[in-house]
Amino acid sequence: MTPRQRQDRGDTGEQRDEPTDERPSGSTAGQAEATGERPDPSLDVRLDAEALATALDGAMAVASECRMAFDDGIGFRARDPADVAMAELRLGRGAFDRYTADGETFGVALDRLRDAVAIADGDGIELALGEGGRFDVNAGAVEYAFAPLAAESVRQVEWIDAGSVDASAVIAAADLRRAVRAADLVADHAEITVGPDERLLAVTASGDTDDVRLEFDEDDLEALDTGPAGSDPVESLYSVDYLRDIVGAIPDGVPVSVEFVGGGEGGCPLSLEHPIAHGDGTGRWLLAPRIRR
């Protein structure tokens, strides 16, 4: 996603990269296809069902399908159809009880895999590549099999380096969620501000008849960097719809790093990052600001 400014969530359908004949790097399936041989199953992992569900919920906050990469863990990187938000959810090797993978990348319909995880009968869930290239999901007494999407048919998402950080704060997930919920009561957009003079982070929303403002000072935040003293406040306007979906996917009880990056005349893209899976994984987000009219 180019973090260009968008007014609202677009009506465009999900854009996809044009299919190619290339297989993802490191794909044993692609190598076997080239030689005419059928690959042996190369994927067999076991991990906590809640950790996988958290990663899937995060990716589903911005897209319905994405690529799932097994690279020293598992990663989901997704971008919404309107190019306003993107997400990356990663689970490191520490999140797994068992891990055998060969750098495979698959396309996945997120709701189908999430449904399989939801029926987990116990704490652990196993994911393996079975006959016919289907995923075999085992969760206690439950067995579920479904076909992945071809990786080349799913949009590849490259993470955007949005630029330098103009201001930042670290806030509890519950406080951030409460601020977005309050903004959602009165308006479609919320302004997030970090001021060097007041030394606080504020979330403000103004509707046709009602206004709401929540302030978090240094006592409420784990960290605050407002930029150089005497500089102008950093402030940007964001879609509450996107904010609500994103903060709803952030686990309870974790600190969220909030950064205003690559600021311009119309506002700053908003970068969020937080731990998942008890620190064995990471979620990060990039949200473009709304153009001021």
Side-chain angles (χ1 to χ4, degrees), residues 165-170 191-204 213-214 216 218 221 223-228 231-236 238 258-260 268 270:
V165 177
D166 293 345
S168 64
V170 179
E191 183 177 72
I192 304 180
T193 306
V194 172
D197 296 330
E198 297 176 309
R199 295 200 59 80
L200 54 78
L201 181 148
V203 179
T204 307
R213 179 179 174 89
L214 279 78
F216 303 93
E218 291 181 280
L221 303 169
L224 178 65
D225 182 358
T226 62
S231 60
D232 293 332
V234 178
E235 55 186 30
S236 292
Y238 305 98
V258 179
E259 294 182 341
F260 295 87
C268 297
L270 185 69

Side-chain angles (χ1 to χ4, degrees), residues 100-139:
T100 300
D102 192 24
E104 293 280 2
T105 298
F106 304 92
V108 62
L110 293 165
D111 58 346
R112 294 180 66 193
L113 182 53
R114 184 63 176 87
D115 287 345
V117 175
I119 62 176
D121 182 17
D123 296 331
I125 189 165
E126 299 175 356
L127 181 62
L129 195 60
E131 293 184 4
R134 297 196 306 170
F135 283 131
D136 289 337
V137 180
N138 293 284

Side-chain angles (χ1 to χ4, degrees), residues 38-278:
R38 182 175 178 178
D40 293 328
S42 57
L43 177 67
D44 182 15
V45 301
R46 176 182 170 83
L47 71 161
D48 179 69
E50 183 179 353
L52 182 55
T54 298
L56 290 169
D57 289 341
M60 290 176 66
V62 300
S64 60
E65 60 184 38
C66 70
R67 295 189 181 196
M68 177 172 62
F70 290 87
D71 180 15
D72 199 31
I74 187 172
F76 301 89
R77 189 179 287 175
R79 180 169 54 182
D80 86 296
D83 287 344
V84 176
M86 63 191 305
E88 182 184 69
L89 287 301
R90 287 197 55 84
L91 296 171
R93 288 288 293 270
F96 293 81
D97 300 322
R98 184 174 70 245
Y99 188 88
T100 300
D102 192 24
E104 293 280 2
T105 298
F106 304 92
V108 62
L110 293 165
D111 58 346
R112 294 180 66 193
L113 182 53
R114 184 63 176 87
D115 287 345
V117 175
I119 62 176
D121 182 17
D123 296 331
I125 189 165
E126 299 175 356
L127 181 62
L129 195 60
E131 293 184 4
R134 297 196 306 170
F135 283 131
D136 289 337
V137 180
N138 293 284
V142 178
E143 296 182 1
Y144 186 94
F146 68 96
L149 305 175
E152 60 268 26
S153 72
V154 178
R155 188 183 195 185
Q156 183 172 358
V157 177
E158 300 294 338
W159 195 260
I160 301 298
D161 182 4
S164 60
V165 177
D166 293 345
S168 64
V170 179
I171 186 172
D175 286 340
L176 181 59
R177 191 175 296 114
R178 179 163 56 93
V180 172
R181 188 185 306 120
D184 194 25
L185 293 175
V186 302
D188 295 330
H189 296 86
E191 183 177 72
I192 304 180
T193 306
V194 172
D197 296 330
E198 297 176 309
R199 295 200 59 80
L200 54 78
L201 181 148
V203 179
T204 307
S206 297
D208 294 334
T209 58
D210 301 325
D211 300 320
V212 66
R213 179 179 174 89
L214 279 78
E215 296 182 350
F216 303 93
D217 61 22
E218 291 181 280
D219 292 334
D220 302 314
L221 303 169
E222 295 189 22
L224 178 65
D225 182 358
T226 62
S231 60
D232 293 332
V234 178
E235 55 186 30
S236 292
L237 200 64
Y238 305 98
S239 164
V240 170
D241 284 345
Y242 282 94
L243 285 171
R244 183 181 60 243
D245 290 345
I246 289 171
V247 302
I250 297 176
D252 292 328
V254 300
V256 181
S257 174
V258 179
E259 294 182 341
F260 295 87
V261 292
E265 183 178 346
C268 297
L270 185 69
S271 172
L272 304 176
E273 186 168 335
H274 57 87
I276 60 175
H278 306 291

